[in-house]
Amino acid sequence: YGRLRIHGDREWIVPQVMEHSAALEPGFAPDSLTERYVETSLRSMVGLELVVDRVEAKAKMGQNQSPEKLRRVIAGLRGAGCAEVADWMERFSLSRAEDKQALLAGIRAKRAL
């Protein structure tokens, strides 16, 4: 949730376009653009800025996966330096997956009788 701001001024648009272009185009050289090109391009540009006030989200981090798969994911996250996410998944997702696996094993055992 937030507010949308519309920018039509060069002072706001140009730095945004340059940063975006540098991030998406390897070898982008802002100095290679002529002033005429920039001015012509600016006529067709409008800047949009979303000022975020609130974020609502749901955590869906492997809740339907097997405990074995979650353990591999958690190990991979730890190896990638994402210990905080790995801890969260271990606390919530893995424990839920283990509970679900135990419940299903109990149901299967009763049906086998």
Side-chain angles (χ1 to χ4, degrees), residues 22-36:
L24 295 178
E25 298 177 30
F28 174 72
D31 298 340
S32 68
L33 303 176
T34 65
E35 186 64 29
R36 182 172 184 223

Side-chain angles (χ1 to χ4, degrees), residues 1-5 48-52:
Y1 293 87
R3 293 165 276 123
L4 188 62
R5 292 184 182 162
L48 299 176
E49 176 184 17
L50 178 60
V51 180
V52 178

Side-chain angles (χ1 to χ4, degrees), residues 67-78:
E68 295 76 24
K69 185 173 185 177
L70 285 173
R71 286 187 193 97
R72 290 192 305 270
V73 170
I74 290 167
L77 286 166
R78 288 196 199 294

Side-chain angles (χ1 to χ4, degrees), residues 14 27 79 89 91:
V14 170
M89 285 188 77
R91 181 174 175 199

Side-chain angles (χ1 to χ4, degrees), residues 5-21 25 28 33-49:
R5 292 184 182 162
I6 299 172
H7 296 276
D9 56 296
R10 172 190 173 95
E11 292 73 30
W12 191 91
I13 296 173
V14 170
Q16 305 305 317
V17 170
M18 295 301 175
E19 182 180 337
H20 183 72
S21 297
E25 298 177 30
F28 174 72
L33 303 176
T34 65
E35 186 64 29
R36 182 172 184 223
Y37 177 80
V38 172
E39 289 302 320
T40 302
S41 298
L42 283 173
R43 287 187 215 138
S44 61
M45 290 185 193
V46 175
L48 299 176
E49 176 184 17

